[in-house]
Amino acid sequence: MHPYLNIAVKAARSAGTIMVRALDRRDRLGVTSKGAPNDFVTNVDRAAEAEIIHIIKKAYPDHGIYAEESGVQAGTNINNVVWIIDPLDGTLNYIHGIPHFCVSIGIQIRGVIEHGVIYNPISNELFTATKGAGAQLDGRRIRVSECRAIDGAIMATGFAYKRTNETLDTCMARVSTTLEACADIRRFGSAALDLAYVAAGRFDGFWEVGLAAWDVAAGALLVREAGGFVGDFHGGDNFLEGKQIIAATPKVYPQLLKLL
Amino acid sequence: MHPYLNIAVKAARSAGTIMVRALDRRDRLGVTSKGAPNDFVTNVDRAAEAEIIHIIKKAYPDHGIYAEESGVQAGTNINNVVWIIDPLDGTLNYIHGIPHFCVSIGIQIRGVIEHGVIYNPISNELFTATKGAGAQLDGRRIRVSECRAIDGAIMATGFAYKRTNETLDTCMARVSTTLEACADIRRFGSAALDLAYVAAGRFDGFWEVGLAAWDVAAGALLVREAGGFVGDFHGGDNFLEGKQIIAATPKVYPQLLKLL
């Protein structure tokens, strides 16, 4: 394992522990979902992100950071290594105690995502990828599914119209068209884990709008290293900052692209 | 724990072991989702159901059975005890390796569901309920969430239009109206686990059409014993065989009923 990926795994596991402990503490104290849930999750989000950045900075003090809570911290290193961090993807699931959320860390070197980690601290599943070296789940090689036709495919998506400029009608039209064409749609509530599930062959495709770089950096690398295709809604490569992403098996990708 | 519930838990755990072993074996053999997935899941479904019925019949040879695969086996006991069994709820998830499926067993006595078990063999979460004695997750008392207003609610549903007489438009209209009114919608792919999640306060409400008695028998009891409301789309009690179900917190239930 590359030393950078090793540090990313260490940071993800450490942040995951913070999240699970905070949930346990809340459950023990009987703090319900009505008890200032936003303060609760903001505090956990910040503590997890601070822990991740602390671990990275200790190992690589001159690397750059691009994180959901704390924004951009430019690095001074000559290779322009930037760690792209979502400390807690699936915030709403986390607040509600739905056991499906994760830490996502992507490592960009000279503008290219070279390493990625997605970690679900409840299931303890660790997804990792390094560019050119494949994708793994708990150290075992994973591949996208062999699904060839969209009519047998399980698709995942998110309903993002409230945080984007999309109308509800546009969002629903995409769901409706795709649902008619595929076997079924899943909506699990964590874009990073959705991408990891595509990489593991659990979902055959995924699309969402309104996502940020920290939501998709690690997941897009995972899908590509697992043999899948990733792009924007025009089939181009502008998904990291473009707020639109499609990821799927090589055969399903063009069919999904056409539908959307 | 009531002796009936005890046997139901034993049967659910035993069936869960069969499912997990079959998945592991498939993964080891490298059988992909293209390798006759329907035969694979039908065999597992039948083996799990046979195991459950075997355990019940050994303890209570004169009880009735109402199961997804084998249909109705009338009992001869004077109390008319019927075990309502879904050996594998979330079949499509199971085939795809999505770690979200369960065993569901409801025990009906003289026409009333008195005990229920829902077991997820991947997360090892065991949901149990006995009428009048509350609902538990792994032995700890659970309650529906304190959610009062639909605009803060997380709803779960299924897209069942392909196996019902509903049109895609009717299905999508319900999703669209509810999505606009609530915080977000989840679509996890197992109705029984969706109901268990409502009981555990993870989802604030759930609706689906086209479900059978074995999908909802245990889950409906869980929700009611956790303090929630369950009914059909007209607010009546015809959800077990009525193919329509709404389950939610007491405050969210009437709001969701009005929307649908």
Side-chain angles (χ1 to χ4, degrees), chain A residues 5-164:
Chain A
L5 189 60
N6 206 20
I7 291 293
V9 168
K10 190 179 162 190
R13 288 197 188 274
S14 197
T17 303
I18 289 173
M19 289 172 208
V20 172
R21 279 194 189 147
L23 266 192
D24 286 348
R25 201 164 53 233
R26 184 184 70 165
D27 289 349
R28 262 202 327 277
L29 295 174
V31 182
T32 68
S33 58
K34 289 280 109 184
N38 290 330
D39 286 356
F40 168 70
V41 77
T42 303
N43 288 338
V44 172
D45 226 347
R46 282 188 187 151
E49 187 169 301
E51 173 72 4
I52 293 167
I53 294 174
H54 172 76
I55 289 170
I56 296 167
K57 286 286 181 188
K58 208 171 144 189
Y60 304 108
D62 60 346
H63 284 188
I65 301 285
Y66 182 29
E68 189 177 13
E69 294 293 321
S70 44
V72 179
Q73 298 175 31
T76 54
N77 71 100
I78 198 161
N79 285 326
N80 191 21
V81 183
V82 180
W83 296 63
I84 304 176
I85 303 159
D86 190 348
L88 173 43
D89 186 68
T91 314
L92 210 52
N93 284 351
Y94 181 79
I95 297 174
H96 282 75
I98 300 167
H100 192 84
F101 50 85
C102 68
V103 184
S104 174
I105 302 175
I107 305 171
Q108 197 182 46
I109 305 177
R110 295 186 207 93
V112 178
I113 306 294
E114 296 278 349
H115 308 280
V117 171
I118 291 175
Y119 176 58
N120 176 342
I122 298 288
S123 70
N124 200 25
E125 287 185 316
L126 178 77
F127 300 87
T128 51
T130 289
K131 195 169 157 65
Q136 290 85 30
L137 165 54
D138 295 330
R140 265 172 43 172
R141 186 70 183 262
I142 49 173
R143 294 197 163 277
V144 295
S145 84
E146 296 184 13
C147 186
R148 287 160 189 277
I150 200 165
D151 62 350
I154 297 264
M155 296 293 178
T157 189
F159 305 135
Y161 79 102
K162 280 180 188 171
R163 56 180 160 78
T164 64

Side-chain angles (χ1 to χ4, degrees), chain B residues 147-231:
Chain B
C147 186
R148 287 158 189 278
I150 200 164
D151 62 351
I154 297 266
M155 297 294 178
T157 189
F159 305 135
Y161 80 101
K162 279 179 189 173
R163 56 181 159 80
T164 65
N165 289 326
E166 276 209 326
T167 63
L168 178 63
D169 288 346
T170 310
C171 170
M172 281 296 106
R174 287 208 187 96
V175 172
S176 182
T177 307
T178 311
L179 183 57
E180 198 169 16
C182 74
D184 210 342
I185 290 180
R186 293 288 176 268
R187 164 58 175 144
F188 271 48
S190 160
L193 272 180
D194 284 346
L195 286 164
Y197 276 28
V198 173
R202 294 173 181 179
F203 296 146
D204 304 306
F206 165 74
W207 83 94
E208 193 162 334
V209 299
L211 295 173
W214 50 74
D215 294 316
V216 301
L221 179 65
L222 268 159
V223 172
R224 285 183 167 173
E225 287 301 320
F229 287 5
V230 183

Side-chain angles (χ1 to χ4, degrees), chain B residues 206-208 224 228-240 242-248 250 252-260:
Chain B
F206 165 74
W207 83 94
E208 193 162 334
R224 285 183 167 173
F229 287 5
V230 183
D232 59 38
F233 281 16
H234 307 287
D237 222 23
N238 186 27
F239 57 84
L240 205 57
K243 314 258 179 219
Q244 291 182 336
I245 188 165
I246 299 182
V252 169
Y253 181 86
Q255 299 172 60
L256 181 56
L257 185 62
K258 205 174 155 190
L259 281 180
L260 299 176

